[in-house]
Short mmCIF file of all heavy atoms in Angstrom, two decimals:
data_model
loop_
_atom_site.label_atom_id
_atom_site.label_comp_id
_atom_site.label_asym_id
_atom_site.label_seq_id
_atom_site.Cartn_x
_atom_site.Cartn_y
_atom_site.Cartn_z
N LEU A 1 1.01 4.80 2.69
CA LEU A 1 2.22 3.99 2.54
C LEU A 1 2.18 2.85 3.52
O LEU A 1 1.47 2.87 4.59
CB LEU A 1 3.48 4.81 2.70
CG LEU A 1 3.75 5.60 3.98
CD1 LEU A 1 4.39 4.73 5.01
CD2 LEU A 1 4.61 6.86 3.64
N ASP A 2 2.95 1.79 3.29
CA ASP A 2 3.11 0.64 4.18
C ASP A 2 4.61 0.54 4.56
O ASP A 2 5.50 1.08 3.93
CB ASP A 2 2.75 -0.62 3.43
CG ASP A 2 1.32 -0.78 3.03
OD1 ASP A 2 0.49 0.06 3.52
OD2 ASP A 2 1.00 -1.63 2.22
N VAL A 3 4.78 -0.17 5.72
CA VAL A 3 6.14 -0.48 6.19
C VAL A 3 6.21 -1.96 6.46
O VAL A 3 5.29 -2.58 7.08
CB VAL A 3 6.47 0.30 7.51
CG1 VAL A 3 7.89 0.05 7.86
CG2 VAL A 3 6.13 1.73 7.38
N TYR A 4 7.29 -2.62 6.02
CA TYR A 4 7.53 -4.02 6.26
C TYR A 4 8.93 -4.19 6.76
O TYR A 4 9.90 -3.53 6.33
CB TYR A 4 7.38 -4.84 4.95
CG TYR A 4 6.23 -4.48 4.09
CD1 TYR A 4 6.45 -3.94 2.79
CD2 TYR A 4 4.91 -4.68 4.49
CE1 TYR A 4 5.40 -3.60 1.99
CE2 TYR A 4 3.83 -4.30 3.66
CZ TYR A 4 4.10 -3.79 2.44
OH TYR A 4 3.05 -3.47 1.56
N TYR A 5 9.14 -5.12 7.74
CA TYR A 5 10.44 -5.50 8.22
C TYR A 5 10.36 -6.83 8.94
O TYR A 5 9.25 -7.27 9.40
CB TYR A 5 11.04 -4.38 9.13
CG TYR A 5 10.18 -4.01 10.35
CD1 TYR A 5 10.35 -4.71 11.56
CD2 TYR A 5 9.28 -2.96 10.27
CE1 TYR A 5 9.62 -4.36 12.66
CE2 TYR A 5 8.50 -2.65 11.37
CZ TYR A 5 8.69 -3.33 12.58
OH TYR A 5 7.91 -2.94 13.65
N PRO A 6 11.50 -7.55 9.11
CA PRO A 6 11.48 -8.87 9.78
C PRO A 6 11.00 -8.77 11.18
O PRO A 6 11.35 -7.82 11.97
CB PRO A 6 12.96 -9.31 9.67
CG PRO A 6 13.57 -8.52 8.56
CD PRO A 6 12.85 -7.15 8.60
N GLU A 7 10.24 -9.73 11.65
CA GLU A 7 9.71 -9.78 12.97
C GLU A 7 10.81 -9.92 14.04
O GLU A 7 10.72 -9.41 15.13
CB GLU A 7 8.71 -10.92 13.16
CG GLU A 7 7.39 -10.67 12.41
CD GLU A 7 6.41 -11.81 12.59
OE1 GLU A 7 6.85 -12.91 13.01
OE2 GLU A 7 5.21 -11.64 12.15
N ASP A 8 11.87 -10.68 13.69
CA ASP A 8 12.90 -10.95 14.67
C ASP A 8 14.08 -9.95 14.57
O ASP A 8 15.22 -10.33 14.80
CB ASP A 8 13.44 -12.35 14.43
CG ASP A 8 13.98 -12.63 12.99
OD1 ASP A 8 13.75 -11.69 12.18
OD2 ASP A 8 14.55 -13.66 12.77
N VAL A 9 13.78 -8.73 14.17
CA VAL A 9 14.82 -7.73 13.97
C VAL A 9 15.54 -7.43 15.24
O VAL A 9 14.96 -7.33 16.30
CB VAL A 9 14.16 -6.42 13.37
CG1 VAL A 9 13.17 -5.83 14.29
CG2 VAL A 9 15.26 -5.41 13.06
N LYS A 10 16.91 -7.25 15.10
CA LYS A 10 17.75 -6.80 16.21
C LYS A 10 18.61 -5.64 15.69
O LYS A 10 19.44 -5.84 14.78
CB LYS A 10 18.61 -7.97 16.66
CG LYS A 10 17.86 -9.11 17.30
CD LYS A 10 18.78 -10.26 17.71
CE LYS A 10 17.99 -11.40 18.35
NZ LYS A 10 18.90 -12.52 18.81
N GLY A 11 18.48 -4.53 16.32
CA GLY A 11 19.17 -3.36 15.83
C GLY A 11 18.58 -2.67 14.65
O GLY A 11 17.39 -3.04 14.26
N LYS A 12 19.27 -1.80 14.08
CA LYS A 12 18.69 -1.04 12.93
C LYS A 12 19.06 -1.69 11.62
O LYS A 12 20.14 -2.29 11.44
CB LYS A 12 19.27 0.43 12.94
CG LYS A 12 18.84 1.22 14.21
CD LYS A 12 19.28 2.64 14.11
CE LYS A 12 18.81 3.42 15.34
NZ LYS A 12 17.31 3.52 15.39
N LEU A 13 18.14 -1.61 10.66
CA LEU A 13 18.32 -2.25 9.34
C LEU A 13 18.38 -1.16 8.28
O LEU A 13 17.78 -0.09 8.36
CB LEU A 13 17.11 -3.14 9.10
CG LEU A 13 16.83 -4.27 10.07
CD1 LEU A 13 15.52 -5.00 9.68
CD2 LEU A 13 18.04 -5.24 10.06
N PRO A 14 19.13 -1.50 7.22
CA PRO A 14 19.09 -0.65 6.00
C PRO A 14 17.69 -0.53 5.42
O PRO A 14 16.88 -1.43 5.65
CB PRO A 14 20.09 -1.30 5.06
CG PRO A 14 20.17 -2.75 5.50
CD PRO A 14 19.96 -2.68 6.95
N VAL A 15 17.46 0.55 4.71
CA VAL A 15 16.09 0.89 4.30
C VAL A 15 15.98 0.86 2.78
O VAL A 15 16.88 1.31 2.11
CB VAL A 15 15.72 2.30 4.81
CG1 VAL A 15 14.32 2.73 4.31
CG2 VAL A 15 15.74 2.35 6.35
N ILE A 16 14.81 0.35 2.33
CA ILE A 16 14.49 0.46 0.90
C ILE A 16 13.13 1.17 0.75
O ILE A 16 12.21 0.85 1.47
CB ILE A 16 14.36 -0.98 0.25
CG1 ILE A 16 15.71 -1.70 0.29
CG2 ILE A 16 13.88 -0.87 -1.21
CD1 ILE A 16 15.61 -3.13 -0.23
N VAL A 17 13.08 2.16 -0.15
CA VAL A 17 11.85 2.83 -0.49
C VAL A 17 11.49 2.44 -1.90
O VAL A 17 12.27 2.62 -2.82
CB VAL A 17 11.99 4.35 -0.39
CG1 VAL A 17 10.70 5.02 -0.79
CG2 VAL A 17 12.37 4.74 1.09
N ASP A 18 10.29 1.89 -2.08
CA ASP A 18 9.87 1.39 -3.37
C ASP A 18 8.70 2.20 -3.96
O ASP A 18 7.80 2.56 -3.30
CB ASP A 18 9.43 -0.09 -3.31
CG ASP A 18 9.14 -0.69 -4.62
OD1 ASP A 18 10.04 -0.73 -5.50
OD2 ASP A 18 7.94 -1.06 -4.89
N ILE A 19 8.84 2.44 -5.31
CA ILE A 19 7.80 3.16 -6.03
C ILE A 19 7.29 2.19 -7.12
O ILE A 19 8.05 1.80 -8.03
CB ILE A 19 8.34 4.47 -6.67
CG1 ILE A 19 8.99 5.31 -5.60
CG2 ILE A 19 7.19 5.19 -7.36
CD1 ILE A 19 9.61 6.60 -6.19
N HIS A 20 6.06 1.89 -7.06
CA HIS A 20 5.48 0.87 -8.04
C HIS A 20 5.31 1.50 -9.39
O HIS A 20 5.30 2.72 -9.63
CB HIS A 20 4.09 0.41 -7.51
CG HIS A 20 3.00 1.42 -7.66
ND1 HIS A 20 2.32 1.70 -8.80
CD2 HIS A 20 2.47 2.27 -6.68
CE1 HIS A 20 1.40 2.64 -8.61
NE2 HIS A 20 1.50 3.03 -7.33
N GLY A 21 5.23 0.56 -10.41
CA GLY A 21 4.96 1.01 -11.80
C GLY A 21 3.46 0.92 -12.09
O GLY A 21 2.64 0.94 -11.19
N GLY A 22 3.13 0.92 -13.35
CA GLY A 22 1.77 0.89 -13.81
C GLY A 22 1.39 1.97 -14.85
O GLY A 22 0.32 2.42 -14.93
N GLY A 23 2.46 2.37 -15.63
CA GLY A 23 2.24 3.30 -16.69
C GLY A 23 1.72 4.65 -16.24
O GLY A 23 1.07 5.39 -17.04
N TRP A 24 1.93 5.07 -14.96
CA TRP A 24 1.46 6.32 -14.38
C TRP A 24 -0.05 6.41 -14.29
O TRP A 24 -0.57 7.35 -13.70
CB TRP A 24 1.96 7.52 -15.20
CG TRP A 24 3.45 7.58 -15.32
CD1 TRP A 24 4.35 8.10 -14.44
CD2 TRP A 24 4.19 7.14 -16.47
NE1 TRP A 24 5.63 7.93 -14.90
CE2 TRP A 24 5.57 7.36 -16.16
CE3 TRP A 24 3.89 6.58 -17.68
CZ2 TRP A 24 6.57 7.04 -17.01
CZ3 TRP A 24 4.94 6.24 -18.56
CH2 TRP A 24 6.23 6.46 -18.24
N MET A 25 -0.75 5.34 -14.82
CA MET A 25 -2.24 5.44 -14.84
C MET A 25 -2.86 4.34 -13.95
O MET A 25 -4.11 4.32 -13.76
CB MET A 25 -2.70 5.24 -16.28
CG MET A 25 -2.42 6.38 -17.19
SD MET A 25 -3.22 6.18 -18.83
CE MET A 25 -4.93 6.50 -18.37
N TYR A 26 -2.07 3.42 -13.45
CA TYR A 26 -2.65 2.18 -12.86
C TYR A 26 -1.96 1.85 -11.54
O TYR A 26 -0.73 2.06 -11.44
CB TYR A 26 -2.57 1.07 -13.86
CG TYR A 26 -2.52 -0.33 -13.34
CD1 TYR A 26 -3.70 -0.79 -12.64
CD2 TYR A 26 -1.45 -1.18 -13.44
CE1 TYR A 26 -3.70 -2.09 -12.08
CE2 TYR A 26 -1.49 -2.44 -12.94
CZ TYR A 26 -2.61 -2.88 -12.23
OH TYR A 26 -2.58 -4.16 -11.74
N ALA A 27 -2.68 1.27 -10.66
CA ALA A 27 -2.19 0.54 -9.51
C ALA A 27 -1.98 1.47 -8.25
O ALA A 27 -2.05 2.71 -8.32
CB ALA A 27 -0.89 -0.22 -9.77
N THR A 28 -1.75 0.80 -7.17
CA THR A 28 -1.41 1.43 -5.85
C THR A 28 -0.24 0.58 -5.36
O THR A 28 0.29 -0.33 -5.98
CB THR A 28 -2.51 1.36 -4.85
OG1 THR A 28 -2.77 -0.03 -4.44
CG2 THR A 28 -3.82 1.99 -5.39
N LYS A 29 0.24 0.97 -4.14
CA LYS A 29 1.30 0.19 -3.45
C LYS A 29 1.01 -1.29 -3.39
O LYS A 29 1.97 -2.09 -3.36
CB LYS A 29 1.54 0.77 -2.06
CG LYS A 29 0.28 0.73 -1.14
CD LYS A 29 0.51 1.40 0.14
CE LYS A 29 -0.72 1.62 0.96
NZ LYS A 29 -1.47 0.36 1.23
N ASP A 30 -0.26 -1.73 -3.36
CA ASP A 30 -0.60 -3.10 -3.21
C ASP A 30 -0.06 -3.94 -4.38
O ASP A 30 0.17 -5.15 -4.24
CB ASP A 30 -2.09 -3.29 -3.15
CG ASP A 30 -2.66 -2.70 -1.83
OD1 ASP A 30 -1.92 -2.48 -0.90
OD2 ASP A 30 -3.90 -2.50 -1.80
N LEU A 31 0.21 -3.31 -5.52
CA LEU A 31 0.72 -4.03 -6.69
C LEU A 31 2.15 -4.64 -6.35
O LEU A 31 2.45 -5.71 -6.82
CB LEU A 31 0.87 -3.07 -7.90
CG LEU A 31 1.41 -3.69 -9.17
CD1 LEU A 31 0.56 -4.76 -9.76
CD2 LEU A 31 1.71 -2.59 -10.21
N ASN A 32 2.91 -3.93 -5.51
CA ASN A 32 4.24 -4.38 -5.19
C ASN A 32 4.34 -4.96 -3.78
O ASN A 32 5.52 -5.11 -3.29
CB ASN A 32 5.24 -3.13 -5.40
CG ASN A 32 5.58 -2.91 -6.80
OD1 ASN A 32 4.82 -3.34 -7.74
ND2 ASN A 32 6.63 -2.20 -7.05
N LYS A 33 3.30 -5.22 -3.12
CA LYS A 33 3.32 -5.69 -1.74
C LYS A 33 4.15 -6.94 -1.60
O LYS A 33 5.01 -6.99 -0.74
CB LYS A 33 1.90 -5.86 -1.21
CG LYS A 33 1.87 -6.38 0.27
CD LYS A 33 0.44 -6.52 0.71
CE LYS A 33 0.44 -6.97 2.22
NZ LYS A 33 -0.99 -6.99 2.80
N ILE A 34 3.93 -7.94 -2.44
CA ILE A 34 4.63 -9.18 -2.29
C ILE A 34 6.11 -9.00 -2.56
O ILE A 34 6.96 -9.50 -1.85
CB ILE A 34 4.04 -10.26 -3.21
CG1 ILE A 34 2.64 -10.62 -2.76
CG2 ILE A 34 4.90 -11.51 -3.29
CD1 ILE A 34 1.88 -11.55 -3.66
N TYR A 35 6.44 -8.25 -3.59
CA TYR A 35 7.80 -7.89 -3.91
C TYR A 35 8.51 -7.25 -2.71
O TYR A 35 9.59 -7.63 -2.34
CB TYR A 35 7.83 -7.00 -5.15
CG TYR A 35 9.15 -6.29 -5.47
CD1 TYR A 35 10.26 -7.05 -5.82
CD2 TYR A 35 9.17 -4.90 -5.44
CE1 TYR A 35 11.44 -6.35 -6.13
CE2 TYR A 35 10.39 -4.29 -5.76
CZ TYR A 35 11.49 -4.99 -6.08
OH TYR A 35 12.68 -4.36 -6.41
N CYS A 36 7.84 -6.25 -2.16
CA CYS A 36 8.46 -5.52 -1.04
C CYS A 36 8.63 -6.40 0.17
O CYS A 36 9.63 -6.24 0.91
CB CYS A 36 7.59 -4.28 -0.69
SG CYS A 36 7.64 -2.97 -1.92
N GLN A 37 7.70 -7.31 0.44
CA GLN A 37 7.91 -8.19 1.58
C GLN A 37 9.01 -9.21 1.35
O GLN A 37 9.72 -9.55 2.28
CB GLN A 37 6.59 -8.93 1.91
CG GLN A 37 5.50 -7.96 2.39
CD GLN A 37 4.51 -8.62 3.35
OE1 GLN A 37 4.70 -9.68 3.84
NE2 GLN A 37 3.47 -7.92 3.69
N TYR A 38 9.25 -9.60 0.10
CA TYR A 38 10.44 -10.44 -0.16
C TYR A 38 11.73 -9.68 0.05
O TYR A 38 12.70 -10.25 0.47
CB TYR A 38 10.33 -11.05 -1.58
CG TYR A 38 9.61 -12.38 -1.57
CD1 TYR A 38 8.23 -12.43 -1.75
CD2 TYR A 38 10.28 -13.59 -1.38
CE1 TYR A 38 7.51 -13.60 -1.80
CE2 TYR A 38 9.56 -14.78 -1.39
CZ TYR A 38 8.22 -14.81 -1.59
OH TYR A 38 7.53 -16.02 -1.55
N LEU A 39 11.69 -8.40 -0.24
CA LEU A 39 12.90 -7.57 0.05
C LEU A 39 13.08 -7.51 1.58
O LEU A 39 14.22 -7.60 2.08
CB LEU A 39 12.70 -6.18 -0.58
CG LEU A 39 12.71 -6.07 -2.06
CD1 LEU A 39 12.47 -4.65 -2.50
CD2 LEU A 39 14.04 -6.59 -2.65
#
């Protein structure tokens, strides 16, 4: 798994846990990396 958060963070932040798609047959977390970083 990966963890992403803003570099200039102050205090604690709410958390999002993301599970990628891919028809149960395809992909890893890297498929959603850009999406998760925008979050």
Side-chain angles (χ1 to χ4, degrees):
L1 60 84
D2 296 346
V3 187
Y4 318 115
Y5 56 90
E7 290 179 346
D8 59 352
V9 60
K10 295 180 180 179
K12 296 186 180 296
L13 300 176
V15 176
I16 297 175
V17 179
D18 183 63
I19 306 175
H20 71 81
W24 302 278
M25 293 187 71
Y26 156 64
T28 66
K29 56 185 171 56
D30 293 341
L31 179 65
N32 282 19
K33 179 175 181 176
I34 292 174
Y35 167 65
C36 287
Q37 292 212 11
Y38 271 89
L39 292 177

